[in-house]
Amino acid sequence: QVQLVESGGGLVQAGGSLRLSCAASGGTFSNYYMGWFRQAPGKERDFVARISVSGGTIKYGDSVKGRFTISRDNAKNTVYLQMTSLKPEDTAVYYCAARRFGAISRPEDVTYWGQGTQVTVSS
């Protein structure tokens, strides 16, 4: 019953920055572990970042650590992914994800998915 809607995707040059947002509705946002995954054409859906219900526990995938920052604003029912130093290999559809009863590590952990937003990084 939780709905997730991503926004902020688009085309950006390598080295640039982009901020994705995921707005949640239909549930109590502060009860949900949130995360981001991405999927490039022909590739598996890969873990990007996750954040605990209070924001105190954060983990990033190895390929984005040091460049991406996940955050959440529970008052706004929104999770963000600030992406900096973007590389062409970051090009993918980015999916917002939610899980109520535990951390998000794998796609199979996810209870709710957004429909995705395209991020394209040009060289």
Side-chain angles (χ1 to χ4, degrees):
Q1 67 276 18
V2 173
Q3 297 182 63
L4 306 173
V5 180
E6 302 97 333
S7 62
L11 176 65
V12 65
Q13 291 183 332
S17 299
L18 205 61
R19 188 176 76 163
L20 306 183
S21 299
C22 173
S25 62
T28 303
F29 181 75
S30 60
N31 289 342
Y32 289 86
Y33 220 113
M34 302 295 297
W36 291 92
F37 291 75
R38 67 186 183 184
Q39 188 167 21
K43 303 294 184 180
E44 299 293 327
R45 189 168 295 190
D46 292 330
F47 171 76
V48 174
R50 68 177 186 236
I51 186 167
S52 62
V53 295
S54 64
T57 302
I58 293 172
K59 185 177 180 180
Y60 298 97
D62 290 341
S63 63
V64 307
K65 189 174 184 179
R67 300 188 296 119
F68 291 10
T69 302
I70 189 172
S71 62
R72 66 191 295 161
D73 186 338
N74 288 348
K76 296 182 178 180
N77 299 134
T78 302
V79 62
Y80 304 95
L81 186 70
Q82 178 67 51
M83 304 182 293
T84 62
S85 301
L86 283 162
K87 305 173 181 179
E89 52 262 45
D90 295 318
T91 296
V93 177
Y94 284 71
Y95 296 92
C96 182
R99 183 187 183 188
R100 184 171 182 179
F101 298 112
I104 296 171
S105 300
R106 308 170 182 176
E108 53 262 44
D109 296 329
V110 175
T111 305
Y112 301 102
W113 292 101
Q115 67 178 351
T117 185
Q118 177 71 48
V119 172
T120 302
V121 184
S122 63
S123 61

